[in-house]
Amino acid sequence: MSHVIIAASAEKCIRPAVDMAEKRNQNVRSVRILHSRTDDKSICIAIDELAGGLRAILGGHVATVGDPELDTRYIIVDFGDNTGNSAGEPVKLAGDAFEIARPSPISVAISAGSGRGLIHGVCDLMEKLGATFAPGAPAQFPRIDEAAVSRIKPYRVEPAFSRRALASDLMTWNYTFPDRLDLHLKFDREFIPWIGRRGVNAFEYIRHAHDTRLRIDEIVDESCAWGIDDEYGGHVLQILMPRTTFESNPEYFPANPDGKREPRGNLCVSNRDALKTVADGAATWLRKYPENRLLHIWGADVSGGAWCSCAQCSNLPPQIQYMTVVNAVAASEEVKVSGIPVAYLAYHDTIDPAPGLKPLANVWFEWAPRERCYTHAINDRACDTNRRYFESLERYIEIFQGRGHVFEYYADAILFGGIGFATPSVIARDLLAYKKLAINGISCLTFGAYSALSYPVNLEAFVRAARNPNFEPREATSCAAEGRHPETDAMAKAYRTIEKATAMILDYGEVMTPYKMPARKAAAKKQELGRALRQIESAVDIAQKVGARDKLAGAEAELWSFGLEIVRGIAEYLRAREERGVVFFDMDGYDSEGYNKFI
């Protein structure tokens, strides 16, 4: 894809603001952007972002001038008389770190350790000058006086986490239906520039057994141009062990507790040929997709596990069976030579480490605490649920000698029942806790446009915390509201009201599973849900009033109204359960008195 085509996606949000600003003020003196001549697409995007942003906020002419003597990861903004060069010297930075410097009173310099770091630096500078980049909304560039630029102080940013990723299930693209795929791609071409501007540097495609794709080819080039690394894999053991092999080699497949082999689940980890089949398949992916930066080899997505119970495997817990598979992939010569690490997913039946886990040096854990409490921070020792999860994370860090990532669910529409929630304070405390444990990478599950509509505050908080967990959560809420609703400040109050309601709901795991709640918790939760309902009603009222002139606010009013009905239904369920004297439901769906939850 050419630089001109890619730059168009960055320009389309900026151009209307540029045109308006230039009409307002034609007298601002011209500004020069000095940069090296380069074909690096990320650096070219950084230059375009800077030029478009400055035109919008200053309202004058901005010229880009190629200088072959400048370092490729160094840009100068010259507010002088356009004679001479006030470039100064670039600083040496690594990775995605960037620095804003003042080499002279009439210039601002942006240095970075990478092309995408230059994008991050440019967009961070734009934010300092008043721009807002809110999820699910066009970029906003307020008009400022040129004197505001002179007040910019030098600063440096070194991201707290080296891997800052978003993730999505491939199935959410509905790629077998052209019209639905086109809708998602339209959103992607707005969302990719947003995540590129906000410092995200990786995107994780999660494949399931029924998927026929490993990635979304239509957006790979654009994602790469914005400096976003692609990661492939997911729940793929059922693909790497082809089900068509069952007829000829049933011994490759897991045995059920009765000893019968079945073409379901994962594989028999005691069978060397089965392990080689999986390892060879994973190596093929690395050959075919060399841009992949982390290989996700996960088991079937079932809470009870899908492992083997044959005579050789029956005494091996799920964690050991799974580690056997991941180590087999990591030990293959092709994977070792590639230098690409393999991810071991700590999730459901593997969330707690088992004694005897011995990962190879190129295996990293990916810790995914889906059933945790989102009312409290992950390291809140007063929370019984999170205390257990945090202890499991600490043990994984010890076993893997610090090689690990955390996979979070701050924008998971399934976990949250499709209800709009906001947890910026929890996100800030979570990532600060992860950083203190020296976790290397952090990722967040998303569901395309639905997550941008339902969890804009969480997405905003996540990208801020991934760069610096010491941010102010209230500011994330305000900026998300301002960027999405620039014509009113009422929606900031609505977002904060949703945040208050959230704190009363998300402490028992998946929202749609109140039947798992113990009776002692259900009694208190019923009262909390009553208070939460009043908060959501208040947010709906605000959004409906704003929605008369703001289409997005109207959509949020409808979303929160949907959530209102769900929460009201949960409260009614708990009331009815208490009246019947039901204590709790077990994992099979039956309560302590034998009633099925579906009756």
Side-chain angles (χ1 to χ4, degrees), residues 420-422 457 474 477 490-505 531-542 560:
F421 286 129
V457 173
R474 189 177 179 87
T477 303
M491 290 303 288
K493 181 179 179 181
Y495 284 5
R496 285 192 288 271
T497 302
I498 290 295
E499 185 180 350
K500 292 176 183 176
T502 301
M504 303 174 193
I505 300 172
R531 294 194 295 273
L533 285 169
R534 290 190 289 274
Q535 294 291 339
I536 299 173
E537 288 170 349
S538 176
V540 170
D541 183 59
I542 293 170
W560 295 336

Side-chain angles (χ1 to χ4, degrees), residues 160-169 191 195 199-206 228-231 294 296 298 343-347 364-370 372 374 393 404-412 415 427 430-431 434-435 439-447 458-459 461-463 465-467:
F161 299 90
S162 60
R163 173 178 172 265
R164 306 171 301 282
L166 295 179
S168 285
D169 294 275
F191 196 57
I195 64 179
V200 172
N201 64 2
F203 195 92
E204 178 179 339
Y205 291 100
I206 303 172
I228 301 163
D229 291 338
D230 286 331
E231 300 173 2
L294 181 60
H296 300 269
W298 305 348
Y344 166 103
L345 183 67
Y347 169 77
W364 292 58
F365 72 80
E366 188 165 12
W367 185 75
R370 191 171 187 272
R372 60 163 287 191
Y374 282 97
L393 174 58
H405 305 283
V406 169
F407 185 107
E408 272 291 0
Y409 295 88
Y410 303 126
D412 183 349
L415 178 67
I427 293 171
D430 280 354
L431 269 65
Y434 296 145
K435 177 61 179 175
I439 290 293
N440 182 68
I442 182 77
S443 58
C444 175
L445 184 65
T446 61
F447 278 73
N458 284 7
L459 289 172
F462 175 77
V463 296
R467 180 178 289 170

Side-chain angles (χ1 to χ4, degrees), residues 224-489:
C224 179
W226 281 88
I228 301 163
D229 291 338
D230 286 331
E231 300 173 2
Y232 306 137
H235 298 284
V236 296
L237 284 187
Q238 293 163 295
I239 300 171
L240 293 173
M241 175 51 65
R243 305 295 105 170
T244 54
T245 312
F246 183 76
E247 187 172 341
S248 59
N249 296 97
E251 71 277 10
Y252 288 7
F253 291 82
N256 65 24
D258 296 328
K260 182 182 178 181
R261 302 282 179 179
E262 296 183 342
R264 294 181 293 177
N266 296 313
L267 72 156
C268 177
V269 304
S270 298
N271 189 298
R272 291 188 178 182
D273 290 334
L275 291 173
K276 186 177 186 305
T277 298
V278 170
D280 289 347
T284 298
W285 284 348
L286 289 184
R287 260 195 324 272
K288 190 173 180 181
Y289 303 101
E291 74 278 10
N292 183 32
R293 306 317 303 160
L294 181 60
L295 186 57
H296 300 269
I297 304 297
W298 305 348
D301 190 8
V302 292
S303 60
W307 296 100
C308 186
S309 297
C310 74
Q312 290 76 27
C313 296
S314 60
N315 291 327
L316 301 176
Q319 298 92 325
I320 298 298
Q321 292 199 40
Y322 180 36
M323 183 61 78
T324 301
V325 178
V326 174
N327 275 347
V329 172
S332 71
E333 194 61 29
E334 202 155 355
V335 173
K336 288 193 294 185
V337 170
S338 74
I340 302 301
V342 183
Y344 166 103
L345 183 67
Y347 169 77
H348 286 337
D349 55 328
T350 61
I351 190 66
D352 293 305
L357 283 181
K358 296 180 179 179
L360 295 181
N362 59 338
V363 175
W364 292 58
F365 72 80
E366 188 165 12
W367 185 75
R370 191 171 187 272
E371 286 76 28
R372 60 163 287 191
C373 163
Y374 282 97
T375 291
H376 302 98
I378 193 64
N379 63 339
D380 188 336
R381 297 290 179 178
C383 177
D384 292 339
T385 300
N386 286 351
R387 183 168 61 248
R388 168 254 174 142
Y389 279 102
F390 197 65
E391 288 170 356
S392 86
L393 174 58
E394 291 175 314
R395 295 200 300 276
Y396 267 117
I397 291 172
E398 182 179 359
I399 292 167
F400 281 75
Q401 298 180 335
R403 302 187 312 275
H405 305 283
V406 169
F407 185 107
E408 272 291 0
Y409 295 88
Y410 303 126
D412 183 349
I414 294 178
L415 178 67
F416 297 149
I419 306 170
F421 286 129
T423 60
S425 296
V426 170
I427 293 171
R429 295 197 299 271
D430 280 354
L431 269 65
L432 189 58
Y434 296 145
K435 177 61 179 175
K436 288 181 177 178
L437 291 176
I439 290 293
N440 182 68
I442 182 77
S443 58
C444 175
L445 184 65
T446 61
F447 278 73
Y450 195 89
S451 287
L453 174 66
S454 305
Y455 316 109
V457 173
N458 284 7
L459 289 172
E460 177 67 26
F462 175 77
V463 296
R464 286 172 180 257
R467 180 178 289 170
N468 178 12
N470 290 301
F471 74 101
E472 172 51 54
R474 189 177 179 87
E475 185 178 325
T477 303
S478 298
C479 287
E482 180 185 352
R484 289 164 63 84
H485 306 283
E487 301 302 322
T488 178
D489 57 4

Side-chain angles (χ1 to χ4, degrees), residues 167-176 181 184 203-208 210-217 231-234 236 239 445-446:
S168 285
D169 294 275
L170 278 158
M171 67 176 79
T172 61
W173 270 266
N174 285 293
Y175 49 80
T176 58
L181 175 60
H184 204 304
F203 195 92
E204 178 179 339
Y205 291 100
I206 303 172
R207 188 173 183 176
H208 290 260
H210 59 272
D211 276 309
T212 57
R213 291 192 181 198
L214 196 64
R215 65 182 188 183
I216 302 299
D217 297 279
E231 300 173 2
Y232 306 137
V236 296
I239 300 171
L445 184 65
T446 61

